Amino acid sequence: MFSQASHNSRLTPVEPVAGSTELLARLSELIEDLSPDRVDLLKAFHRIQHEFGYVPREAVPLLAGKFRTTPAIIFGTIDFYSELRMAPAAETTVDWCSGPACLLKGSLNIRRALEATFECEMNRTSADGRFGLRLVQCDGTCHLAPLVRHHGRYIGPLTVSESIEWARRLTGDDRRAPPEDGARPAADEASPELAEPVEAE
Amino acid sequence: MTLPRYEEMWHRADDAWARAARPARTLIKVGVATCSRVVGAEETLSALRREVEARGLDADFMVTGCLGLCYVEPLVEVVRPNAPGVLYQSVTADKVASLLEAVAAGGIAREYALAVIGDRESGGLPALNSLEFVLGQVRRLMANCGVTDPENIDHYVARGGYEGLVRALQMKPVNVIDEVKKSGLWGRGGAAFSTGLKWEFLYNAKRQPKYLICNADEGDPGSFVNRNLMESDPQLLVEGMVIAGYATDAQQGYIYIRDEYPLPVERMELAVQQARERGLVGENILGSNFSFELEVVRGAGSYVCGDETGLLSSLEDRRGMPKIKPPFPAQAGVFAMPSNINNVESYTNVPLIMRHGADWWAEMGSEKHKGTKMFSLSGQVQRVGIVEVPLGTSTSDVVMRMGGGPPEGRKLKAVQPGGPLSGVIPASDVDIPLEPDPYRERGVLMGSGGLVILDDTNCIVDLCIYFEWFAEDESCGRCTTCFAGTRRMLEILRRISSGRGRLADLELIKLLGSIAQNANCFHGQGAPTAVMSMFRFFEDELLEHVERKRCPAKVCRGLVRYEVVHYSDRLPAAEAICPTDAVVRDNGKYRIDQLKCIKCDACREQVPYAIAVVDEFQPAAPTVTR
């Protein structure tokens, strides 16, 4: 069978250089039965990502050798697909659905609230590395819109307040501590009814 | 042609189906598909099993696919011997005990009951086919969805499955193609090109091997019709592809499923394996000389792989960048060999055409467009789900009656018919028939069938920003008009929504829209469609943004501000919920710190009476300045 990848077969693939022997052995084992002449590269990515949670850098030269192509092309392919990652995800990663049904029901508000609560931008990890937000595409579970996913569990339909409370529980912040600058005198705290009515326009 | 092996299979299948269709004791059917799994159908199923065992009830279980009623999942159907099945809605695991309580007593659990299966009401419950969501639907492709066990090939075979293949194998390939051409079936993926003609191109191609590819990369956000077909009736697709392979003289088929659909991948793989075990896929199918191999390929998350040539690149183990046409896939497709690519829905229509004949198939539909089409409903509708209607059915019938229209008290604003590249039609045009022509007249594409509904709380500029962001994000990067054009377009739209729009921007957008037509593939060409629809149907709203710096729906973040406008005892709740400490209290009075506010709406949700969204240009509330 003709394979596009064999165009580059005359190029000598870069030898695997980095990585522990165990890791390389495991990677080779995972892709052992795959062949460049079949539609197998995506299968290789999926197997590796299933095992490690991401595609380790060390896999790139190995795959290039296996599929008779260059590391650059393998890297470019990984980079192209949004579901493939080259770094491990944060311990707690929240998937935020970007689909139109969620959008129309206010998912952008939820996004802003989550970004603020986790102190983490979309597709980034928080400074302490504990939380991550990931943008995902619509998979048609629009009856739950707007929704987020957390470890394969779908949570929706969410209001902004619910999403904040949920995120605070994840961060271990049940009720936010009052600001420390003394802006809130104790007496005021005890009797919120002291707050004067605000004149309407 | 004698097919003894098939006869045996037929009998075995009939027996298997009889047990499900006419059960000797109570049969509990639980729909397990993506839409119900996410609301806990699997937990429901295991709770039911536990509870049935604990109570010592005499009952069997069966897993089915999805009926399309996503809004009431998880659905449980209880079938008693010689009685129509009763459908229970939203049965989460916590409701199982009280449901079975009533069922064990021989009655109906009224509080959860939705309908009885069939056309006639019974026991005070409405018939399923008389529900507003179902009435008017013609379920041909979905005949087995939610009825049979998708993981049991016998159920499919017993309900007429593979009859179409038997009939096709007795015909010459050209005659099969003629039959498909006669039916008038066109590609359901969005391009609406004649399927029979496409097959003829491949049939006429000289080189071997030929490839048959199923585009199941249903990337359009808000569409989920293909997903339902693959996870509720996977054998229909297998049969369709085998028939297509026979008609076009191809020996290898690939089903390319997007990575976001794990359950369809699982069920399609199982379906192919079961078909192979029964000699319906593989060498010498049903004892004929025809051999056909089928493989399921899982994508890795890319929208342009839903473009047919992008999909080809992805199959060739490379970045899924669309190729330049010509050569067309029928001449040089995957691995530079002749190929044919069709959508899931196109292939799944073929077994029906071959089983019942092109004339039967073409009975449904409008004068020009034959057959039925599945649509998914999402966004601002009361009933989210999947419907199958004859082509030419009025859009409002589907959106307003079946879908129930927008939530109470809101007005329909627009409908996006199929995918981010398809554009939008305004509410005033919602009566047009669901077929390609009326949409094309309005500069909109009917697309693949993912109807997304907007109501008056949604902003058209906001939606266009989403579409342009999507087009930019998913651009493969080949054509400058696409990857740079969408980026410029996005910048301009974001500028407008942030309140810095200028009149010159409008001309700039139109220019970018016309330049985009020079892109290679449809992704680039279609990217500005929604923006062009906005110019055509919602120009007033756009001008309001640009000239008056006002967002009528109060959505665009740069044009609105949150203010405390009344006093309420619940204002401390708003203070507590705010993720950025923007609700502040000075001398006992509440105000919103505009520098901290991220406009997430949480405070207004808590105290809708006291906090309001006001136009950015309005003067600050008096209490704030004081």
Side-chain angles (χ1 to χ4, degrees):
Chain A
M1 199 185 287
F2 179 82
S3 163
Q4 290 286 330
S6 63
H7 272 317
N8 296 310
S9 57
R10 65 201 157 77
L11 298 171
T12 317
V14 179
E15 287 299 315
V17 279
S20 69
T21 4
E22 297 94 68
L23 175 68
L24 292 176
R26 181 67 192 132
L27 284 170
S28 313
E29 201 184 330
L30 281 173
I31 58 171
E32 178 133 31
D33 60 321
L34 304 181
S35 146
D37 294 332
R38 292 198 301 264
V39 189
D40 275 351
L41 182 61
L42 288 176
K43 205 181 270 175
F45 289 146
H46 286 310
R47 283 188 193 173
I48 294 172
Q49 185 153 303
H50 183 75
E51 172 102 3
F52 296 96
Y54 66 106
V55 181
R57 294 188 77 83
E58 291 81 0
V60 173
L62 210 65
L63 286 165
K66 179 84 185 177
F67 287 90
R68 297 205 292 265
T69 181
T70 64
I73 286 180
I74 297 289
F75 183 82
T77 313
I78 296 175
D79 192 47
F80 182 81
Y81 294 104
S82 57
E83 291 289 314
L84 300 176
R85 294 180 295 277
M86 287 201 70
E91 192 185 322
T92 304
T93 299
V94 175
D95 292 348
W96 172 83
C97 178
S98 66
C102 288
L103 173 94
L104 297 177
K105 293 189 171 182
S107 68
L108 278 177
N109 289 334
I110 291 176
R111 173 181 172 163
R112 285 168 208 152
L114 290 180
E115 284 177 339
T117 315
F118 290 132
E119 294 176 5
C120 160
E121 277 176 51
M122 191 53 69
N123 286 330
R124 295 277 187 283
T125 309
S126 63
D128 59 4
R130 277 174 69 212
F131 298 99
L133 279 173
R134 207 157 69 96
L135 186 148
V136 293
Q137 294 299 340
C138 175
D139 71 348
T141 45
C142 303
H143 51 306
L144 291 183
L147 64 92
V148 295
R149 300 180 222 158
H150 178 231
H151 290 308
R153 205 160 64 89
Y154 286 65
I155 302 158
L158 277 170
T159 63
V160 186
S161 310
E162 282 164 2
S163 73
I164 293 172
E165 282 159 11
W166 174 77
R168 280 181 184 161
R169 276 199 298 279
L170 280 186
T171 56
D173 171 17
D174 276 350
R175 244 193 53 153
R176 206 192 50 237
E180 283 165 26
D181 56 11
R184 265 191 271 191
D188 209 42
E189 185 67 42
S191 50
E193 68 275 9
L194 282 181
E196 281 168 34
V198 175
E199 295 118 59
E201 286 171 76
Chain B
M1 189 155 62
T2 51
L3 300 161
R5 206 168 147 196
Y6 189 77
E7 285 299 320
E8 187 203 314
M9 180 176 83
W10 184 273
H11 290 307
R12 212 171 65 189
D14 276 346
D15 292 343
W17 175 239
R19 285 195 293 277
R22 291 177 296 281
R25 55 184 196 166
T26 306
L27 178 68
I28 301 175
K29 294 162 95 173
V30 182
V32 179
T34 302
C35 58
S36 51
R37 262 201 339 184
V38 300
V39 287
E42 278 166 337
E43 288 79 4
T44 302
L45 181 61
S46 47
L48 279 166
R49 283 188 202 276
R50 267 201 314 274
E51 199 71 17
V52 162
E53 198 170 333
R55 287 167 190 266
L57 291 179
D58 200 21
D60 290 315
F61 287 96
M62 182 176 143
V63 167
T64 64
C66 167
L67 272 169
L69 286 78
C70 300
Y71 63 104
V72 284
E73 294 287 358
L75 274 174
V76 173
E77 185 188 337
V78 178
V79 194
R80 291 178 200 280
N82 306 317
V86 178
L87 214 51
Y88 294 101
Q89 59 179 330
S90 310
V91 186
T92 41
D94 54 315
K95 296 178 183 164
V96 162
S98 64
L99 176 96
L100 280 181
E101 184 104 25
V103 170
I108 294 171
R110 300 238 163 235
E111 50 179 323
Y112 310 126
L114 175 72
V116 287
I117 302 291
D119 295 314
R120 275 178 303 165
E121 62 170 313
S122 159
L125 289 175
L128 174 66
N129 293 349
S130 72
L131 293 184
E132 271 190 302
F133 188 78
V134 185
L135 194 69
Q137 286 196 44
V138 177
R139 292 187 170 227
R140 286 179 165 183
L141 293 169
M142 287 175 77
N144 287 340
C145 294
V147 177
T148 62
D149 181 352
E151 300 186 355
N152 189 340
I153 186 173
D154 286 336
H155 285 186
Y156 179 72
V157 171
R159 285 172 60 88
Y162 289 101
E163 275 174 24
L165 176 63
V166 172
R167 187 163 160 248
L169 287 176
Q170 288 162 346
M171 293 160 72
K172 280 192 185 147
V174 267
N175 296 345
V176 176
I177 293 177
D178 284 343
E179 186 89 9
V180 173
K181 266 163 93 178
K182 193 177 145 202
S183 73
L185 172 67
W186 44 257
R188 298 304 200 223
F193 189 77
S194 161
T195 305
L197 211 55
K198 221 168 165 178
W199 289 11
E200 200 171 63
F201 294 151
L202 185 65
Y203 180 76
N204 289 334
K206 295 283 183 290
R207 293 180 303 146
Q208 281 285 6
K210 296 177 184 174
Y211 293 95
L212 209 60
I213 294 145
C214 174
N215 183 350
D217 190 80
E218 193 179 31
D220 288 343
S223 321
F224 38 101
V225 295
N226 294 352
R227 187 197 72 200
N228 190 36
L229 275 175
M230 288 188 287
E231 63 193 13
S232 299
D233 198 13
Q235 293 293 344
L236 193 63
L237 178 57
V238 175
E239 186 186 352
M241 287 196 71
V242 175
I243 295 173
Y246 176 73
T248 58
D249 195 20
Q251 279 101 46
Q252 173 71 47
Y254 292 111
I255 303 172
Y256 186 97
I257 307 178
R258 68 194 289 232
D259 194 38
E260 288 86 345
Y261 284 178
L263 188 65
V265 171
E266 207 177 288
R267 290 205 170 144
M268 281 315 304
E269 276 176 347
L270 185 69
V272 170
Q273 188 198 323
Q274 286 180 344
R276 188 175 289 128
E277 281 163 8
R278 281 165 175 73
L280 299 162
V281 165
E283 299 280 312
N284 300 339
I285 291 169
L286 292 172
S288 68
N289 297 327
F290 170 59
S291 301
F292 186 73
E293 265 309 321
L294 204 50
E295 195 183 322
V296 176
V297 178
R298 186 173 144 203
S302 166
Y303 181 66
V304 282
C305 289
D307 177 89
E308 60 174 10
T309 53
L311 201 154
L312 295 178
S313 298
S314 184
L315 280 177
E316 289 168 351
D317 287 351
R318 290 182 300 166
R319 301 166 66 108
M321 291 168 86
K323 301 177 179 191
I324 290 163
K325 288 190 274 191
F328 288 93
Q331 280 94 49
V334 70
F335 312 124
M337 298 310 283
S339 312
N340 176 58
I341 300 142
N342 279 132
N343 180 263
V344 175
E345 227 184 314
S346 317
Y347 281 126
T348 47
N349 268 301
V350 172
L352 305 178
I353 296 171
M354 295 315 295
R355 193 187 304 166
H356 302 285
D359 294 329
W360 173 86
W361 190 85
E363 274 170 17
M364 281 296 152
S366 65
E367 204 159 302
K368 219 173 142 196
H369 300 281
K370 301 298 179 195
T372 57
K373 171 94 186 74
M374 288 164 69
F375 293 95
S376 59
L377 287 160
S378 67
Q380 305 285 15
V381 273
Q382 298 186 20
R383 291 185 280 269
V384 172
I386 302 164
V387 299
E388 181 180 354
V389 293
L391 277 166
T393 306
S394 126
T395 311
S396 69
D397 208 25
V398 173
V399 172
M400 301 306 285
R401 192 174 57 76
M402 294 178 188
E408 280 301 312
R410 304 214 205 135
K411 282 216 306 273
L412 181 76
K413 178 169 186 170
V415 176
Q416 183 239 160
L421 310 179
S422 68
V424 288
I425 59 157
S428 54
D429 279 347
V430 78
D431 289 325
I432 60 173
L434 271 167
E435 54 185 9
D437 305 333
Y439 281 87
R440 207 173 290 135
E441 283 164 22
R442 288 162 175 79
V444 175
L445 277 153
M446 200 182 78
S448 59
L451 299 173
V452 179
I453 288 91
L454 279 76
D455 70 14
D456 51 5
T457 61
N458 300 128
C459 169
I460 196 77
V461 178
D462 191 52
L463 187 74
C464 283
I465 290 177
Y466 166 72
F467 288 144
E468 286 310 311
W469 164 80
F470 185 83
E472 192 251 51
D473 193 50
E474 294 289 347
S475 173
C476 83
R478 183 199 293 277
C479 310
T480 316
T481 52
C482 174
F483 76 81
T486 51
R487 187 162 293 183
R488 290 292 90 78
M489 186 88 98
L490 186 59
E491 278 171 14
I492 297 169
L493 289 171
R494 282 195 172 142
R495 187 160 72 219
I496 291 173
S497 91
S498 71
R500 285 174 287 121
R502 5 182 221 254
L503 274 174
D505 284 343
L506 305 182
E507 288 309 311
L508 216 49
I509 292 177
K510 284 184 187 158
L511 182 66
L512 277 168
S514 58
I515 290 173
Q517 303 312 313
N518 296 316
N520 165 43
C521 78
F522 186 72
H523 183 82
Q525 293 161 12
T529 317
V531 181
M532 292 301 132
S533 308
M534 172 171 73
F535 269 105
R536 189 161 171 170
F537 303 117
F538 298 98
E539 198 168 8
D540 291 350
E541 192 178 334
L542 177 64
L543 284 175
E544 191 86 354
H545 281 77
V546 176
E547 290 180 334
R548 293 192 56 205
K549 315 290 182 215
R550 180 174 166 269
C551 176
K554 299 231 181 345
V555 172
C556 288
R557 205 178 166 188
L559 299 177
V560 296
R561 195 174 70 224
Y562 282 80
E563 287 287 4
V564 179
V565 290
H566 293 287
Y567 172 75
S568 162
D569 284 343
R570 300 208 62 247
L571 274 167
E575 187 186 9
I577 199 73
C578 180
T580 56
D581 300 324
V583 181
V584 291
R585 184 157 40 163
D586 287 340
N587 300 324
K589 290 191 193 98
Y590 282 95
R591 66 178 176 87
I592 291 184
D593 185 339
Q594 299 299 335
L595 291 175
K596 281 185 179 167
C597 179
I598 54 168
K599 300 172 188 177
C600 73
D601 205 46
C603 56
R604 201 195 51 81
E605 268 177 18
Q606 295 288 331
V607 205
Y609 168 73
I611 296 176
V613 193
V614 300
D615 291 318
E616 179 65 40
F617 58 75
Q618 282 187 5
T623 46
V624 180
T625 49
R626 201 157 40 158

